[in-house]
Amino acid sequence: MHNIDKIKKEFLKKYRSQKLYSKTVFNFLDLVNQYIDVDNDYHVIEQLIEAENVVEFDVFWENDKGKIVKNKGYRVQHSKLLGPYKGGLRFHPTVNLDILRSLAFEQSLKNAITGLPLGGAKGGSDFDPKHKSDDELRRFCYKYMESLAPYLGHDYDVPAGDIGVSNKLIGYMYDAYRKLKGDEPGVFTGKPISEGGSILRPEATGYGLVYIAESALKHYKNTDFKRKKVLISGSGNVAIHAAYKVCELGGMVVAMSDSSGVIYNNQGLDVSYVDEIKTKDKRIHAYLDKYPQTFFSADSKHIWNFKADIALPSATQNEVQLVDAKKLVDHGIIGIFEGANMPLTKEASAYVIDQGVIFIPGKAANAGGVSVSYFEMVQNKLKQQWTKEDVDKKLKDVMTNIFNNIYKEAERINQKMRLDIASDLVGYKRLRDKILKG
């Protein structure tokens, strides 16, 4: 039996019920199979696809009505080969061990791609922070940390925020951690600046996404964002800050969305107003209150119907299906760069690459957030606060370096457009080399 098939078979014996985790690992194996020596790397691969440690616990907390509520809490510590475990905490009703194992595996590859000394992890809870009072949020965070705190440390595991976990909630969790284990600023990133957070951490993923796209446009098309029309799905943190950076670089954001629909204006959207209405927790159709002539569709998927030069899918997983990819190609898209985690399906990404579209997967394209998280860790250790200009320059340097590394790897394997394969190979080789060197 071929060794990759043997690895898959053994993997399924353990994780057959965890379909997303299995799919994520198998997609990786299928991509890199012909470019790695499976016979020599067999035990390396076996080690890298398994999490080193999984923490699972119950969280009992009291709501404002005095009722005790039970949620599940998790932390998947996937790989510590390169440095402390690093990855976000996600609070959302859909969170389960399958999702977190998948995300933690991807996080280990992502962090390896950055070249920074960071391992990979992911965690969270099926707790829904929506419509909760500040007191309820604080109580939940404290109870969550009672179970998780023993597994954290600035040189062991350093969480950050993810979906449903704002810097306010990070602040609550850090406050709980301090009461439980003492002051240790570097144990969380994404903290409020007043508690040791880094300038530009909220902007980092969106800015980094645009910086790596800028490098790709220059290398492949000898162009940039000037006068380019850009589609950005989503209107959350990543999407908003990517939109600001696109405009700063001379581009035009013509469409944005949320789960309730999409807005479009061929002459460009007022990004600051989108930011304003989302800050007020309004749905995106509220944009029409000020700009009533704007096109609106209640179907968020309609965003892929518009003609544009560049797409930055930044909303959610699997939001771009094959049918959407075909529309984008038909309308002349030249580059698609993932701001969300795996927003293109496997079929969609394969199609756009085959059609000559520049494509960079999320594990490389959205690494700006974890990069600035690392800067925050360094600042905490040195007891410093870097300026916006310093952080922005370092972020751009990291993203440019990521692109250069995956571009060189794509050239090495004689697959110039396969930045998806190259990204996995760059991350894999760094992790493999660490294992082989002991």
Side-chain angles (χ1 to χ4, degrees):
M1 180 182 289
H2 192 283
N3 272 335
I4 282 291
D5 292 331
K6 183 178 179 182
I7 289 172
K8 288 181 178 181
K9 183 177 180 180
E10 291 301 312
F11 188 86
L12 281 178
K13 285 182 181 178
K14 297 180 182 179
Y15 303 111
R16 186 175 300 277
S17 65
Q18 299 191 8
K19 298 186 182 304
L20 182 59
Y21 182 34
S22 300
K23 181 179 179 181
T24 302
V25 169
F26 290 1
N27 283 348
F28 162 77
L29 293 174
D30 291 341
L31 273 182
V32 304
N33 183 21
Q34 61 181 305
Y35 302 103
I36 61 178
D37 187 337
V38 178
D39 289 328
N40 284 336
D41 285 7
Y42 186 77
H43 295 298
V44 170
I45 297 168
E46 279 192 314
Q47 179 176 335
L48 289 182
I49 61 178
E50 290 266 11
E52 294 170 355
N53 190 32
V54 176
V55 183
E56 184 175 359
F57 48 90
D58 292 329
V59 183
F60 294 94
W61 61 281
E62 185 179 344
N63 67 17
D64 286 343
K65 296 179 180 179
K67 179 182 177 182
I68 301 299
V69 182
K70 176 184 172 182
N71 285 100
K72 294 295 294 185
Y74 309 93
R75 186 67 172 169
V76 178
Q77 297 170 324
H78 187 88
S79 173
K80 198 172 179 286
L81 285 168
L82 302 175
Y85 296 116
K86 188 79 190 79
L89 297 173
R90 176 176 296 192
F91 291 171
H92 193 275
T94 61
V95 166
N96 57 42
L97 204 50
D98 184 20
I99 290 170
L100 294 178
R101 282 186 186 274
S102 171
L103 292 172
F105 173 70
E106 286 283 299
Q107 191 76 43
S108 293
L109 287 172
K110 176 192 290 189
N111 294 356
I113 292 166
T114 67
L116 301 171
L118 297 171
K122 212 73 177 182
S125 172
D126 58 1
F127 170 77
D128 187 354
K130 289 184 178 180
H131 312 302
K132 301 292 192 298
S133 70
D134 280 350
D135 285 341
E136 288 177 320
L137 293 171
R138 189 181 292 105
R139 285 195 293 269
F140 175 82
C141 287
Y142 195 98
K143 289 298 183 180
Y144 179 78
M145 287 309 301
E146 281 186 340
S147 294
L148 188 60
Y151 301 93
L152 305 181
H154 72 276
D155 59 352
Y156 184 75
D157 188 343
V158 182
D162 196 288
I163 293 172
V165 178
S166 64
N167 69 341
K168 180 172 73 173
L169 269 63
I170 288 293
Y172 289 162
M173 283 187 276
Y174 179 45
D175 184 55
Y177 183 90
R178 281 185 293 196
K179 291 175 181 175
L180 293 162
K181 295 192 67 177
D183 196 29
E184 191 181 350
V187 77
F188 281 95
T189 60
K191 301 182 295 293
I193 290 177
S194 62
E195 296 187 20
S198 176
I199 291 171
L200 284 190
R201 178 57 189 90
E203 296 87 348
T205 306
Y207 281 15
L209 172 63
V210 176
Y211 286 148
I212 199 168
E214 185 180 36
S215 292
L217 291 171
K218 179 180 179 181
H219 276 77
Y220 284 98
K221 301 289 184 179
N222 194 29
T223 189
D224 52 29
F225 273 96
K226 291 177 183 175
R227 293 178 293 280
K228 299 293 189 301
K229 293 183 177 181
V230 183
L231 308 174
I232 304 181
S233 63
S235 49
N237 193 54
V238 177
I240 286 291
H241 294 299
Y244 276 129
K245 184 57 69 172
V246 165
C247 295
E248 182 184 317
L249 297 179
M252 183 186 300
V253 179
V254 296
M256 296 185 76
S257 63
D258 66 11
S259 58
S260 71
V262 56
I263 53 174
Y264 170 78
N265 186 327
N266 190 50
Q267 300 305 308
L269 297 173
D270 180 349
V271 174
S272 63
Y273 188 60
V274 176
D275 191 6
E276 180 182 331
I277 63 176
K278 297 308 291 185
T279 300
K280 294 177 180 177
D281 206 25
K282 295 181 179 180
R283 310 309 287 164
I284 204 160
H285 59 73
Y287 184 88
L288 277 68
D289 295 343
K290 185 174 181 180
Y291 299 102
Q293 302 306 312
T294 304
F295 174 85
F296 171 77
S297 169
D299 180 5
S300 300
K301 297 278 287 181
H302 201 93
I303 193 169
W304 312 123
N305 292 359
F306 303 118
K307 182 176 176 60
D309 303 296
I310 297 161
L312 306 177
S314 304
T316 189
Q317 186 174 322
N318 294 331
E319 61 176 299
V320 183
Q321 306 282 323
L322 178 59
V323 64
D324 307 309
K326 289 181 176 180
K327 291 175 186 175
L328 289 168
V329 170
D330 289 346
H331 291 154
I333 208 82
I334 63 172
I336 302 176
F337 309 96
E338 293 188 325
N341 290 318
M342 297 177 282
L344 270 72
T345 64
K346 182 179 179 180
E347 296 76 18
S349 60
Y351 178 78
V352 298
I353 292 167
D354 186 60
Q355 297 299 310
V357 176
I358 310 166
F359 171 73
I360 300 183
K363 62 171 63 74
N366 66 27
V370 75
S371 300
V372 174
S373 282
Y374 173 72
F375 301 160
E376 183 175 333
M377 293 164 65
V378 174
Q379 291 171 78
N380 291 161
K381 187 174 183 179
L382 298 175
K383 295 180 169 45
Q384 294 180 351
Q385 180 74 68
W386 297 346
T387 66
K388 177 180 178 181
E389 291 73 24
D390 284 340
V391 176
D392 197 32
K393 181 182 183 305
K394 292 176 190 294
L395 171 61
K396 187 170 185 178
D397 287 347
V398 168
M399 300 309 296
T400 301
N401 189 53
I402 290 172
F403 174 77
N404 289 339
N405 286 338
I406 63 175
Y407 182 77
K408 288 175 186 174
E409 185 67 15
E411 286 192 313
R412 186 190 71 79
I413 63 174
N414 200 30
Q415 292 276 7
K416 191 176 177 182
M417 299 303 294
R418 295 308 303 263
L419 296 177
D420 56 336
I421 297 174
S423 296
D424 277 340
L425 286 173
V426 167
Y428 170 76
K429 287 163 70 175
R430 187 164 177 238
L431 290 162
R432 178 199 63 191
D433 290 349
K434 185 68 175 178
I435 292 174
L436 296 179
K437 290 176 182 177

